[in-house]
Amino acid sequence: MSGWWRLLASVSVGALIPLAAGMGCALLGLGPNWWMGMSAALGLVWALTQNRILDRAGAAWTELCEAAGEVPALNDDDATLLALFAMHSSPVRVAWPVKILNPCPDSRWWPYPWRHCRVMFAWGCRNAELFTGTERLAGKNLLQRTERGRSWDGTSVYEATGLGRDVAARNAEVLMAGRMEEAA
């Protein structure tokens, strides 16, 4: 982490410490002497731990930036995506197969808001994996984009190429042969 970012983070947290201490004292009904004491104690803790915290944050950011180019196929849904596109003779919007493979969860948010946030975050990450899988298939010439989405990539229109249809048919044959062996 560069010096300017470290300075900005340190000053920002240092400015938030008295505010957090003031809110804590107001909620507990404590006076201004307690506020000054809490501010001093939290400031001392921040001063002693800021280098370690900022170094870890910088290392995590560096790892994230290095891994950004490597998007792994976590669930390996490329074959299923290709089959869903190959089922249609006409071009299909990307959002349709993504919606089939990852329907929107129907989680109630009011009793458990944090659980709802985690579920919706996981749903969004899964959608991003599926959109990346579609782009990966297009990069392998198994799909071709016929129309680019105007507002976001989920509205882009793709269709399976001849090679993509052949690969999807072959995948289906291999899958059915495997199921026949399991049944026997």
Side-chain angles (χ1 to χ4, degrees):
M1 183 178 279
S2 69
W4 289 107
W5 284 110
R6 188 175 288 270
L7 175 69
L8 180 66
S10 180
V11 169
S12 299
V13 172
L16 290 175
I17 286 174
L19 293 174
M23 283 203 277
C25 288
L27 289 174
L28 296 174
L30 302 174
N33 289 337
W34 281 96
W35 172 68
M36 289 189 321
M38 283 180 71
S39 295
L42 290 174
L44 181 63
V45 169
W46 172 245
L48 295 174
T49 60
Q50 76 177 2
N51 285 333
R52 188 176 318 146
I53 292 170
L54 293 177
D55 288 342
R56 284 186 183 179
W61 182 257
T62 303
E63 285 182 30
L64 183 65
C65 290
E66 289 172 356
E70 307 167 3
V71 180
L74 296 177
N75 296 318
D76 198 26
D77 287 318
D78 291 350
T80 310
L81 273 171
L82 184 60
L84 287 172
F85 279 106
M87 285 172 36
H88 293 279
S89 58
S90 62
V92 178
R93 293 198 188 281
V94 177
W96 180 79
V98 168
K99 195 173 192 179
I100 288 176
L101 291 175
N102 190 29
C104 184
D106 186 22
S107 65
R108 297 178 299 165
W109 64 270
W110 56 90
Y112 306 105
W114 290 112
R115 182 186 303 169
H116 177 74
C117 288
R118 288 192 308 266
V119 166
M120 294 308 289
F121 181 75
W123 177 73
C125 290
R126 176 86 170 109
N127 280 350
E129 289 174 10
L130 293 172
F131 285 123
T132 304
T134 303
E135 292 173 5
R136 194 171 33 246
L137 288 172
K140 294 177 182 177
N141 294 328
L142 298 174
L143 294 177
Q144 71 180 23
R145 180 184 288 166
T146 58
E147 179 184 337
R148 180 156 183 84
R150 292 190 182 106
S151 57
W152 60 292
D153 278 342
T155 59
S156 294
V157 178
Y158 286 86
E159 72 176 334
T161 61
L163 176 65
R165 291 184 194 283
D166 293 341
V167 169
R170 178 67 183 142
N171 287 342
E173 289 174 8
V174 169
L175 180 67
M176 291 309 290
R179 287 197 178 171
M180 297 293 259
E181 289 175 7
E182 285 179 13

